[in-house]
Amino acid sequence: MIKRTYTMVVIDDIRAVVNGISRDMDWSELGIDIVGTASSGEGGLALVKKKLPDIIVTDIRMPRLSGIEMMRELRPQLPHAKFIFISGYSDFDHAQEALRLGAFDYILKPFTPRQLAEVVKKAAEELERERQHSEELSDMQQKLRESMPLLRQEYLSLLVRFSAQPETLRRRWEFLQMDMQSSPLAVVVLEIDHFVQKSEEIPVNDAELLRFAVQNIVEETVLRVAKGTLFRESVHRFVLIINTGDGASALGIAEECRENAERYSKCTVSAGVSRTVQELDELPVAYQQAVEALTYTFYTGGNSVFFWEHITQRPEVLPRPDADLEKELVYALRSGNAGQAEKLLLMLLETAGKTEALPSPDSAKALCVELAALIRNAVPELAGSPELTELMKALTSPRAVLNDLRESLKQLSKLSCAQVQSRLQFSAQEAIQAAIRYIREHLHLNLLVGDYAAHVHLSTSYFSNLFKKVTGLSVGAFVIQEKMEQAKLLLAGDRPIAEIAESLGYEERSYFSDVFKKTTGMTPTEFRAAYGPRQGNG
């Protein structure tokens, strides 16, 4: 469907033909506007140059300047105009030539108005299709221009991850009109420190503003000294590709970005810096170097910059921790000595880390997990406890840094020792209660402290100290106290005092009486008189 009006001129050296076409036909119904006529080739040429019509209906053969010659001259100026030639049978060969030269169509004399209208209508429809295609193309080009920043980001994101042929990369680089040179290049990977934790504590808008602020700071910092492109890789990570050279050091730029982020935003950033590469197809390697360098913030906790070349001499595997220290740690844990266990744990961490260069973060994390397993195995009672589950989760968290792991190990050590102390305390209570029962059942025997200790399978000294810690009395004092309490119960009856003394392990009544009086303030006779059975008065 034709949506606009197209202009047309009519050129023929026979005026009647011109008038018949221009005046006797209703072109407005087809969306055609006749903007001029001419009766010669020269006049037609001047007319077309002035009016620049969409459709040109012209006789193919005219004196001095034919329709074909006119088309040849006008075609560069009007590449999209539609030439329709009027031709007689004798000019058929010329009409065919005109088509080869780019004419839209031709019509043979004599023709009816309807025949000419059909050809003009087809020309207008073709113009409409071309116009729509041009508009669509223009719209696509506009959208392409608008989406160019996103296309550049997508391209760079793929460029640093996947390999491709250098020529393909170069053509794409030129198509996207990258505002930097394709060589030399370095990659810097930056992260907003602890952003995941921060984003959970602040509104979503504030988190986005924080990311936007960091991005602006980095871009402004870079553009002051070098050409570079920054794109966001994830919620807290950016990738920066920099043109190095001319005094621009990627490491120096990264350090300045870190300083400015700390100075002008409410957060800090860390960065990993690659070596400089010369070709676009080397960028994936440079990107991996920058990512690997960034992992070394594990040791600092953030606000730091690491250069890949500075970490290449790292030991791949940490030296094995001191076996004797490990044994001492296990002993300290199993005895519940929290202070000693923590001291030994830190010594193990420091000893293993005494290398000329920082070991890889993965090997340091593996050491921490091994120490956690050592602690867990030393104290089986920990198995299944919620606290252990949480600490092991923290120890294996991908976001954990060295200080986090060290703190988690200390907490695990304290938890283990507390568990052991709780068990030991419970066991001590059970042992003392068993000893007390044994004492009460054997008050008639004059047993020694060692006899009671042997009954509960403890050494005499440890048992003595533990007994006093639990009961508040020495073993001897407790035995006497129990004997005197039993004596009181017996004296309330009518058994002879000498027999009571013997049943409590006292061979001499006098010694029994002395101990009883010292304990109660009364002799056995006085106690019985006060509390013993009463004789009836009949």
Side-chain angles (χ1 to χ4, degrees), residues 3 8 16 23 88 280 301 339 365 469:
K3 296 182 179 179
M8 186 173 81
R23 297 177 184 175
L280 288 173
K365 291 176 183 178
K469 182 179 179 180

Side-chain angles (χ1 to χ4, degrees), residues 421-436:
Q421 288 172 357
S422 175
R423 173 175 56 78
L424 290 176
Q425 185 175 5
F426 179 75
S427 299
Q429 289 283 357
E430 283 192 326
I432 297 307
Q433 291 303 319
I436 288 173

